[in-house]
Amino acid sequence: MLKQYINMDMVKKYIKICCSIAIFTSSGIAIEDGEKSVNDKFKFIQDIYSESWALIIGINDYQNVPPLSYAEKDAVDIKNLLQDQYGFKKANITTILNEDATKANILKGFNDILTQAKKKDRVLVYYAGHGDTYELPSGGDMGFLIPVDGDKESLYLSS
């Protein structure tokens, strides 16, 4: 049986944590005409990370669950922010939107980035879309991100 509730305090806390992590780990590198221009405040990041990779997913129109209004826009805005403000190379950002955000394509996106990322690289994953929680028989919950072709009735298989 699936729980059908949202704890808004936990959602707000999660969003704050994710935003803090994304801002803190961003390098402050701007790329202009192929050359890097480093904001001195974030110069230490270059000693930590060699490359930056991102997988960005945004889904408004689902096949089996109600649609959303702003997930795609949020994903595109994050992509632009990473490129324009934080120096992520366009070639290192994988963006998967709406009908392309199938379970298979999302897993391929993870695979592509993780097979390219090296030891000193960072990987940022941003997901805007539906999620759900399945109560485990042994206690506790397991959370799922629902792809465009996902089904709440078979979370484990489709999400």
Side-chain angles (χ1 to χ4, degrees):
M1 180 176 204
L2 299 176
K3 292 183 179 179
Q4 299 294 322
Y5 69 94
I6 296 175
N7 181 332
M8 288 309 292
D9 290 332
M10 290 301 292
V11 170
K12 289 176 186 175
K13 183 177 179 181
Y14 177 76
I15 290 170
K16 286 179 185 175
I17 291 169
C18 289
C19 290
S20 298
I21 291 169
I23 291 168
F24 177 73
T25 62
S26 299
S27 66
I29 299 171
I31 299 175
E32 299 174 15
D33 300 326
E35 293 186 24
K36 290 182 179 180
S37 168
V38 180
N39 178 334
D40 288 334
K41 182 178 176 183
F42 296 104
K43 198 169 188 171
F44 72 95
I45 295 292
Q46 285 186 310
D47 295 331
I48 300 170
Y49 302 112
S50 300
E51 282 287 347
S52 299
W53 303 87
L55 174 61
I56 301 171
I57 304 153
I59 309 167
N60 283 346
D61 303 313
Y62 284 84
Q63 295 173 8
N64 302 306
V65 294
L68 296 172
S69 298
Y70 302 105
E72 179 184 16
K73 181 189 179 316
D74 290 349
V76 171
D77 288 347
I78 289 292
K79 178 188 85 124
N80 292 335
L81 179 72
L82 293 176
Q83 281 181 225
D84 299 343
Q85 300 283 327
Y86 296 105
F88 279 64
K89 295 176 185 174
K90 186 176 183 177
N92 291 1
I93 299 175
T94 300
T95 307
I96 308 172
L97 303 173
N98 286 318
E99 68 272 358
D100 293 330
T102 62
K103 180 180 178 181
N105 284 345
I106 292 170
L107 290 174
K108 182 182 181 318
F110 275 112
N111 183 69
D112 291 350
I113 286 177
L114 295 177
T115 56
Q116 296 176 74
K118 305 287 187 256
K119 185 175 182 177
K120 286 189 69 174
D121 292 356
R122 65 180 164 173
V123 175
L124 182 139
V125 177
Y126 178 85
Y127 175 82
H130 280 296
D132 208 341
T133 304
Y134 178 78
E135 189 174 333
L136 298 171
S138 60
D141 296 328
M142 179 178 281
F144 291 88
L145 302 177
I146 301 177
V148 72
D149 54 347
D151 187 348
K152 285 187 172 191
E153 299 303 317
S154 61
L155 283 175
Y156 186 77
L157 291 174
S158 69
S159 302

